[in-house]
Amino acid sequence: MEKAQRRWRKVAYGGMQPGFDDNHTDDTFLQEMVMNANVVKRDMLKVMLDSVSISQYLCIVALVVLVWTYTLNSTITLNFLIVLDITLGGSGFFILLLTAKMLSFNLLLNYAIKISFFTTGLYVLSPIYHTLTRSISSDSIWALTTSLVVLHLFLHNYSGSTIKAPGAVENPNLMSNISLNASIVASLLIASRLPSRLLVFAIILFSLQVFLFAPLVAYCLKKHSFRLHLFVSFVLMGVSLTCVYRLHKLLFVVLLGLLVFVNMVCPYWLIRIQEYKFEINGPWDEAKLCFNITD
């Protein structure tokens, strides 16, 4: 009778309750159970638009590989590469000036000084890069370059920037740095197969401009205007598909299939698997801090 009259209550810290076992629970224990409390319902159109960032960078890398190919085949001249480097650098700084809110004159001056030192060092070291892989066979170079480009795409941070953007709180993570290093090594391997030192300098400068600053420019552009981000992305898709089609039709089919897979198939899969997500929350969950413990 004494056990029936005494009411069980949930006690987090306080030991056993008299008259009840340590593992005893009554019918009120599951009243606070919540199912799928943190499951986010995703919209198909929004997921497709968010995946455009991935397709945009895939097209950027495809254009870089095209420039590599045409340069190795002597289709692109040194003068064209130098003009391309200057155009990319100038347009990138212009977009940063228009879009970055936390960009100041001192920060721009700091960027300009670092880029001038970087360009000078690259020009001085270009003879070393020119003969870097002379003892390695070309087949090994192509296989290693392909592997590094795939690794770069696999580890790339598609939601952020390769380098810290102005006003950003977090720095690039380890995977992003590994991806960047893979792209740099791939650029050096390609450049070492070019016939002249100036071509080596121009192609490495082009590659590093794209792999270092293109994600930063795309990130700032997306933050400034999502519609402008979509417009630039679709223009890049059209240009890359056209250039790849002129190079090889099979590669065009592969790139087109990859873009369709990223922008349509993957979002559809993500929406479908949400139906099978099952999450249970209740009084047995661990407590979660509502503040950053490092502050």
Side-chain angles (χ1 to χ4, degrees):
M1 289 296 294
E2 183 180 357
K3 183 175 179 178
Q5 292 176 357
R6 184 177 289 110
R7 182 180 179 83
W8 177 85
R9 58 191 179 89
K10 183 177 65 175
V11 178
Y13 303 98
M16 295 177 57
Q17 301 183 46
F20 296 97
D21 296 332
D22 187 39
N23 60 348
H24 174 80
T25 56
D26 66 354
D27 297 337
T28 62
F29 183 75
L30 296 179
Q31 289 181 357
E32 299 180 15
M33 184 180 70
V34 179
M35 299 173 59
N36 295 336
N38 300 320
V39 176
V40 180
K41 294 184 178 179
R42 304 181 185 274
D43 180 66
M44 180 67 179
L45 180 60
K46 186 178 184 305
V47 176
M48 292 177 65
L49 292 177
D50 289 339
S51 64
V52 170
S53 298
I54 303 177
S55 299
Q56 180 196 70
Y57 195 73
L58 289 176
C59 292
I60 290 175
V61 174
L63 290 175
V64 172
V65 174
L66 283 173
V67 172
W68 288 352
T69 304
Y70 286 133
T71 306
L72 290 170
N73 294 335
S74 300
T75 306
I76 292 180
T77 62
L78 174 63
N79 293 332
F80 179 85
L81 272 179
I82 293 177
V83 172
L84 183 61
D85 291 339
I86 297 174
T87 304
L88 286 177
S91 58
F93 268 103
F94 180 73
I95 294 175
L96 287 178
L97 283 173
L98 294 180
T99 58
K101 297 180 180 179
M102 301 295 295
L103 203 62
S104 61
F105 176 77
N106 292 332
L107 187 60
L108 273 178
L109 183 61
N110 188 26
Y111 280 167
I113 294 175
K114 288 182 178 179
I115 290 175
S116 62
F117 279 114
F118 172 78
T119 306
T120 304
L122 185 62
Y123 180 79
V124 172
L125 294 175
S126 56
I128 300 177
Y129 299 145
H130 184 211
T131 59
L132 187 64
T133 62
R134 180 172 294 177
S135 60
I136 304 176
S137 64
S138 297
D139 292 339
S140 300
I141 294 296
W142 310 143
L144 184 57
T145 302
T146 304
S147 302
L148 289 172
V149 171
V150 172
L151 179 65
H152 169 70
L153 291 174
F154 185 75
L155 299 179
H156 181 71
N157 181 16
Y158 294 95
S159 61
S161 173
T162 306
I163 57 179
K164 187 176 181 181
V169 179
E170 297 181 356
N171 290 315
N173 54 26
L174 176 62
M175 293 296 108
S176 179
N177 291 329
I178 295 176
S179 172
L180 177 61
N181 289 331
S183 65
I184 293 175
V185 175
S187 305
L188 294 177
L189 292 177
I190 290 295
S192 64
R193 282 304 192 250
L194 294 176
S196 68
R197 178 174 60 87
L198 291 178
L199 270 176
V200 171
F201 164 74
I203 199 66
I204 295 179
L205 182 61
F206 162 76
S207 302
L208 294 184
Q209 277 185 338
V210 174
F211 290 127
L212 277 173
F213 296 108
L216 174 63
V217 173
Y219 175 81
C220 294
L221 191 65
K222 185 178 179 180
K223 290 292 183 181
H224 177 73
S225 174
F226 189 75
R227 292 184 178 180
L228 186 59
H229 160 72
L230 292 178
F231 173 75
V232 173
S233 299
F234 289 128
V235 169
L236 282 173
M237 291 181 197
V239 172
S240 60
L241 287 172
T242 303
C243 295
V244 172
Y245 180 81
R246 292 180 178 179
L247 179 66
H248 202 287
K249 293 183 180 179
L250 180 59
L251 295 178
F252 167 80
V253 173
V254 172
L255 180 60
L256 180 61
L258 186 59
L259 294 179
V260 172
F261 178 77
V262 169
N263 286 290
M264 300 184 69
V265 178
C266 289
Y268 175 75
W269 279 353
L270 181 62
I271 296 298
R272 286 299 303 271
I273 62 177
Q274 295 297 311
E275 302 175 3
Y276 304 100
K277 189 170 184 178
F278 186 72
E279 185 181 54
I280 299 177
N281 301 97
W284 53 83
D285 289 342
E286 296 179 355
K288 297 181 180 180
L289 296 177
C290 59
F291 58 89
N292 190 356
I293 195 172
T294 59
D295 293 342

